[in-house]
Amino acid sequence: MSGRDVTGGDVAHASARDRRRARRHGRQRTWPAFWVFVGPFLAGLILFTFLPIVWSAVLSFFDAHNTVTPTRFVGLANYVDMLTNSDFLASLGTFSVFAVFIVPTTVAISLGLALLVHRLRFARAFFRSVFFLPAACSYVVAALIWKLSIFNGVRFGLANTVLGLFDVDQVPWLSSASPPWYWVALVTLRLWLQVGFYMVLFLAGLQRIPGELYEAAYVDGAKPGWQVFRYITLPQLRATTVAVVLLNLIAAYQAFDEFYNLMSSARGYPPFARPPLVYLYFTALGQGQDFGHGSAGAVILALLIGIVTVLQGKLFGFGRRD
Amino acid sequence: MDGPHAVGYARSARGRIGAIARYSALVLAALLFLLPFYLLVRNGLASDAEITAPDWTFFPTTLHWGNIGELFDDPSVPMAHSLLNSVLVSVVQTIGQVALSSMAGYGLARIPFRHANLVLAAIVATLMIPAAVTFVPTFVVVSSLGWVSTLRGLIVPGLFSGFTAFLFRQYFLSFPKELEEAARVDGLGHWGAYWRIVVPNSTGFIAAIGVITFLGSWNAFLWPLVIGQDSSSWTVQVALSSFMTAQTINLHELFVAAAVSILPLLLVFVFLQRYLVQGVAESGIKG
């Protein structure tokens, strides 16, 4: 790594570098240069990430309605309230159901598309672009198409028109809590938007698999198709798959855009289908501006995500070097 | 150009049938993926009656090109202003984030400093905290700065991404040292080496990260919604969302607005897709 070095020292080695610099520039330290490069960024990170987290942790022990300054110390009361609040707990349940739907289907479809596209001889770039194209669309725009065109209410909308062709009864897609038809809209919307993104990750993973492995499998008489996939492709894609599952799970935890836009109307947000972020949004920035409870909820959510991430890391060995 | 695994099998009859099946499946999937874009354009060019007609048809009977002009002439809809806000926010955030992160990444990767590991640990720690969970606390800080409903409030918190800085650090670690060494021998300082040698030789990576940043910034919704409390500071996403949940909806205008809002990204997509794909691959693998 150090390459040819005229002074014969290892550049990565600080003391050798200092000596060389000292020879050239006189006694000079590198820390001013370090701070010129890293300082502005770090200052912003402290102000807009670290300070907010500390402030939030403090606020979570206080009563803070309609104000962002702590007013009355309430100890753990906010945490107790949130953890016994059936709406907040229901929001965690909503997330869990959503994750159970979205994570496996995303992995399966994006891996399936990647395998199909990877083996193409013609028009590979074309198909990759088409499946990746929804990534250029925002959740807001997608929600608009889903809500006002595909899953529009009874009597109009593409989904009901198609059902009508088969003489199936019209479905009130977004306004029915039981059965929860709105899940169809929520899940298909996210699949459409993110499957292409993860397909690109899988394609990159497939490209890194050495061709010799397949040649060896062919020579050894492995049947093309399932055997090769099971014993060569899948194990080689392990790191990518783990990354996709993890990214997916975190993204599902942060679900906000499509829930907010699909479900809310001029009449407000229905009591069902509120994932944690939607719940916190209405708690902290809704009518009551309850920053104390909102902060406690954010801390709980951050801890939960932390635990899940660590567990997942332990389970799949994420971050471990192969 | 295909994976070698296809070589042994593709020429057989079985391989040919497999190829036909694959292409059929892909064409069908591609049509499904393109359908929402078609609906966007169809509804943007249809009349309100045709968007909500009980006897829905795939093609509208007449195309109303006037819908586009109507959108920008409608004084009750701050569409042009919201688009301008979005352009400002995305461009400044992209340039700012790439500049700040690449500098920080370079410093961390290349400038020896006794406590660099501590700084790096602090940055990596922020990766563990999902950005969306911090929206309440960040709102608290930005609100006490008095930045609610300002462009500053929209832009500045998004300039500092620990993730992007970390990506740049990893990239600069593998940047060939010889180039910089030559520059140093020629008397350039750290800044000169960074600005005249490293940056010009990293344009591909910078473009990849820049395109991803632009995409994320343009499509961001939660933060602009939280901070844009009056319509003068709406981004196009917040504007669309507000029109969607308004009492009275002008449907055809709404669909034209949505189509207009994805145009910049489609352009990015068509012309910079190489960088976009590279950026996704880079940022995904390390995520």
Side-chain angles (χ1 to χ4, degrees):
Chain A
M1 265 311 268
S2 64
R4 49 184 176 79
D5 190 339
V6 275
T7 57
D10 182 356
V11 258
H13 199 261
S15 64
R17 188 187 200 122
D18 284 348
R19 243 181 286 127
R20 205 180 60 244
R21 287 197 55 125
R23 218 174 298 143
R24 213 164 44 229
H25 298 291
R27 268 261 159 258
Q28 196 182 354
R29 292 166 196 277
T30 52
W31 63 262
F34 181 86
W35 286 117
V36 165
F37 277 89
V38 183
F41 171 80
L42 199 66
L45 203 65
I46 288 170
L47 182 59
F48 292 108
T49 304
F50 287 104
L51 178 67
I53 288 165
V54 173
W55 198 330
S56 184
V58 171
L59 264 188
S60 69
F61 296 107
F62 283 83
D63 183 42
H65 278 85
N66 294 312
T67 170
V68 294
T69 44
T71 41
R72 191 171 56 83
F73 185 75
V74 294
L76 289 170
N78 286 336
Y79 286 92
V80 174
D81 287 351
M82 290 307 270
L83 288 172
T84 53
N85 178 337
S86 58
D87 286 343
F88 181 65
L89 296 178
S91 79
L92 295 174
T94 300
F95 152 74
S96 307
V97 176
F98 186 58
V100 164
F101 273 109
I102 207 72
V103 175
T105 41
T106 302
V107 171
I109 297 177
S110 50
L111 177 58
L113 286 177
L115 288 170
L116 283 173
V117 170
H118 183 65
R119 292 194 60 181
L120 291 185
R121 306 177 140 258
F122 311 105
R124 191 200 298 190
F126 168 78
F127 281 111
R128 192 193 61 195
S129 300
V130 168
F131 297 132
F132 192 36
L133 193 60
C137 206
S138 70
Y139 275 96
V140 181
V141 171
L144 179 119
I145 301 168
W146 256 243
K147 182 182 187 176
L148 295 172
S149 187
I150 301 176
F151 293 109
N152 213 329
V154 175
R155 284 202 311 127
F156 33 77
L158 181 63
N160 277 334
T161 305
V162 172
L163 286 183
L165 296 178
F166 300 98
D167 279 332
V168 178
D169 280 345
Q170 310 271 297
V171 176
W173 293 103
L174 296 173
S175 53
S176 152
S178 58
W181 289 116
Y182 58 88
W183 280 113
V184 178
L186 285 165
V187 170
T188 50
L189 187 156
R190 182 168 278 239
L191 283 177
W192 180 69
L193 265 179
Q194 72 176 13
V195 152
F197 180 91
Y198 293 114
M199 178 200 70
V200 168
L201 287 187
F202 276 122
L203 277 174
L206 284 170
Q207 260 155 20
R208 277 195 305 269
I209 301 177
E212 295 83 45
L213 284 179
Y214 289 105
E215 276 158 23
Y218 180 61
V219 170
D220 289 348
K223 289 199 189 67
W226 176 248
Q227 273 194 348
V228 168
F229 176 71
R230 170 73 184 78
Y231 293 104
I232 309 283
T233 313
L234 211 53
Q236 290 286 318
L237 282 179
R238 197 183 129 92
T240 312
T241 312
V242 171
V244 168
V245 169
L246 197 69
L247 288 173
N248 233 301
L249 206 59
I250 291 173
Y253 248 121
Q254 305 196 37
F256 178 84
D257 301 12
E258 77 267 47
F259 279 88
Y260 180 90
N261 285 298
L262 277 178
M263 306 307 291
S264 69
S265 67
R267 291 186 302 279
Y269 199 94
F272 52 91
R274 276 186 303 206
L277 276 188
V278 172
Y279 184 77
L280 289 183
Y281 173 80
F282 284 113
T283 301
L285 294 148
Q287 289 292 310
Q289 298 243 322
D290 187 348
F291 291 103
H293 283 100
S295 297
V299 172
I300 293 169
L301 198 57
L303 289 176
L304 270 178
I305 295 177
I307 292 168
V308 170
T309 311
V310 169
L311 278 183
Q312 168 129 356
K314 285 253 188 295
L315 225 57
F316 294 101
F318 185 69
R320 204 191 296 152
R321 301 222 170 262
D322 283 29
Chain B
M1 66 171 237
D2 202 350
H5 53 293
V7 172
Y9 313 120
R11 288 192 186 88
S12 64
R14 195 173 155 232
R16 216 168 300 137
I17 291 169
I20 292 170
R22 267 202 302 281
Y23 274 101
S24 313
L26 281 171
V27 167
L28 197 70
L31 287 176
L32 268 179
F33 269 72
L34 290 174
L35 179 68
F37 289 107
Y38 170 73
L39 292 174
L40 187 61
V41 176
R42 177 213 180 263
N43 290 343
L45 294 177
S47 64
D48 271 9
E50 265 185 313
I51 297 172
T52 57
D55 48 343
W56 195 88
T57 54
F58 193 75
F59 297 103
T61 41
T62 44
L63 297 180
H64 299 258
W65 291 102
N67 288 355
I68 300 168
E70 206 182 302
L71 170 71
F72 287 99
D73 289 339
D74 187 342
S76 69
V77 179
M79 197 58 207
H81 192 76
S82 303
L83 274 169
L84 186 70
N85 281 345
S86 275
V87 170
L88 266 170
V89 170
S90 308
V91 169
V92 175
Q93 261 182 1
T94 304
I95 295 172
Q97 207 193 95
V98 168
L100 285 163
S101 300
S102 67
M103 280 171 59
Y106 181 79
L108 285 163
R110 281 291 198 260
I111 305 177
F113 172 58
R114 208 152 19 123
H115 305 298
N117 280 339
L118 196 70
V119 176
L120 182 66
I123 292 171
V124 170
T126 66
L127 305 186
M128 310 292 170
I129 304 152
V133 175
T134 61
F135 86 90
V136 175
T138 310
F139 177 82
V140 169
V141 165
V142 171
S143 148
S144 33
L145 289 170
W147 287 5
V148 174
S149 289
T150 63
L151 278 175
R152 259 175 312 181
L154 276 170
I155 293 170
V156 178
L159 293 178
F160 312 96
S161 159
F163 187 57
T164 314
F166 183 69
L167 283 182
F168 269 109
R169 174 196 177 257
Q170 298 302 91
Y171 171 79
F172 287 137
L173 278 182
S174 58
F175 189 87
K177 260 193 176 134
E178 288 77 7
L179 276 173
E180 278 169 275
E181 282 302 300
R184 302 299 301 280
V185 169
D186 289 346
L188 286 177
H190 283 294
W191 179 257
Y194 165 79
W195 188 242
R196 294 213 226 147
I197 307 294
V198 174
V199 168
N201 283 295
S202 311
T203 46
F205 187 81
I206 290 173
I209 300 298
V211 168
I212 288 285
T213 309
F214 184 84
L215 194 77
S217 182
W218 184 270
N219 283 340
F221 176 62
L222 178 57
W223 182 251
L225 176 74
V226 164
I227 213 71
Q229 300 195 338
D230 69 63
S231 63
S232 67
S233 56
W234 281 354
T235 63
V236 68
Q237 310 295 343
V238 180
L240 282 173
S241 172
S242 308
F243 305 153
M244 213 190 309
T245 51
Q247 284 289 354
T248 51
I249 308 178
N250 209 340
L251 273 178
H252 62 274
E253 279 190 21
L254 188 50
F255 277 98
V256 173
V260 169
S261 82
I262 65 169
L263 267 184
L265 293 188
L266 289 184
L267 291 178
V268 164
F269 216 86
V270 171
F271 292 107
L272 302 173
Q273 199 190 134
R274 189 159 60 91
Y275 299 112
L276 190 59
V277 170
Q278 189 195 336
V280 168
E282 303 272 0
S283 56
I285 285 154
K286 280 151 191 159

